[in-house]
Amino acid sequence: MVAHVDNAGENWFRRFAASPEAKARLVCLPHAGGSAPFYFPVAKALAPAVEVLAVQYPGRQDRRHEPFLTSIDAMADRVADLLRTHTDRPLALFGHSMGAMVAYETARRLERAGHEIAALFVSGRRAPSRVRDESVHTRTDDGIVAELRRLSGTEADLLGDDDVVRMILPVVRNDYRAVETYRYTPGVPLTAPIVAFTGSDDPMATIDEVASWADHTAGGFELVELAGGHFFLTRHQGVILRRLADELGGVRV
């Protein structure tokens, strides 16, 4: 896997597939504890019709020595600021779980600045206005590992490796803090259409909570329910990729 760092993105954006003639650009934002390579299959599948920029948050992998950003708003501020130089073609955003919140707040910032968003794709996350009282980030290390196992977001054998656990826990704790302390500030709905993907058995988001994304756009809304839990998207990768391709580039995947 070779990732090309986008110079204008100052280490924030990774290109895993060259797409110089792309019809559209899709910015993909990872889940809590996640990193840019999670979207490697998306970049390879959609190229060259759609250019994928996978976001690499600070504090992980090759950016592990950089300080964390501790709030959703801080992450969105930085991503939105950097994307202002990437609006030369239709721009869409995709985010899973925490990434959905960062994508939404990024879209809000870009639209307020006068930039058009072609579409917002959110996955595995209830609408911003649907709040739960959660405090995973305050748990012990063992408590956080138990939550990761519950969501099946990390392979069990990796969670059994003490060195790996020690390496990822600070990242996961920071990201959970960002998600759990986020509070939606009411404002003008997006003009971009929203497509929300959700797992039928996702403990993090009920169908009703996901349906409330419709309240956050004036541009049209669709809910796509797929079988599975919080990480249903890995099981239904082909379905989601075909939908992204149809919406953004018309390319067969």
Side-chain angles (χ1 to χ4, degrees):
M1 182 193 309
V2 178
H4 299 281
V5 176
D6 187 318
N7 292 331
E10 300 177 6
N11 292 331
W12 276 80
F13 303 136
R14 305 298 157 85
R15 287 187 177 95
F16 295 112
S19 307
E21 304 300 323
K23 301 175 184 177
R25 178 173 288 125
L26 178 66
V27 179
C28 293
L29 298 111
H31 52 280
S35 56
F38 183 77
Y39 289 111
F40 176 79
V42 179
K44 298 299 289 186
L46 298 184
V50 177
E51 179 189 63
V52 171
L53 296 183
V55 171
Q56 183 78 320
Y57 307 121
R60 64 210 71 205
Q61 294 188 330
D62 58 329
R63 302 190 69 188
R64 63 188 177 278
H65 299 302
E66 298 178 46
F68 296 128
L69 292 180
T70 59
S71 71
I72 298 297
D73 286 331
M75 295 177 194
D77 284 344
R78 191 67 182 122
V79 174
D81 183 57
L82 291 167
L83 284 178
R84 295 174 199 271
T85 61
H86 290 75
T87 56
D88 56 310
R89 64 195 72 184
L91 180 68
L93 301 169
F94 180 100
H96 179 68
S97 197
M98 180 184 81
M101 306 310 298
V102 181
Y104 168 69
E105 287 294 345
T106 298
R108 295 180 87 186
R109 285 155 172 75
L110 288 172
E111 286 200 347
R112 284 199 297 263
H115 299 291
E116 182 178 349
I117 303 299
L120 172 63
F121 302 96
V122 294
S123 169
R125 185 66 191 177
R126 57 190 178 271
S129 53
R130 301 297 295 268
V131 180
R132 293 186 188 182
D133 184 16
E134 297 173 315
S135 57
V136 173
H137 73 279
T138 66
R139 296 182 186 177
T140 64
D141 288 352
D142 287 344
I144 292 178
V145 172
E147 178 68 7
L148 295 178
R149 288 200 174 100
R150 183 176 78 97
L151 298 180
S152 302
T154 306
E155 294 298 332
D157 56 346
L158 292 180
L159 290 175
D161 186 317
D162 288 343
D163 290 336
V164 171
V165 170
R166 279 195 295 271
M167 181 175 63
I168 67 171
L169 275 178
V171 175
V172 174
R173 187 182 298 278
N174 174 79
D175 291 354
Y176 268 90
R177 180 188 301 112
V179 172
E180 293 172 347
T181 59
Y182 167 82
R183 291 298 179 268
Y184 166 66
T185 301
V188 177
L190 294 175
T191 61
I194 296 177
V195 178
F197 299 98
T198 189
S200 56
D201 300 311
D202 187 348
M204 300 296 289
T206 67
I207 299 302
D208 182 62
E209 288 173 325
V210 176
S212 291
W213 276 103
D215 300 332
H216 296 273
T217 179
F221 172 74
E222 182 179 354
L223 191 155
V224 180
E225 181 182 352
L226 299 167
H230 188 58
F231 280 87
F232 66 92
L233 74 171
T234 57
R235 176 177 170 186
H236 298 285
Q237 179 175 288
V239 173
I240 295 172
L241 285 173
R242 283 191 292 274
R243 181 57 189 271
L244 295 175
D246 288 344
E247 292 282 343
L248 300 174
V251 62
R252 298 177 70 87
V253 295

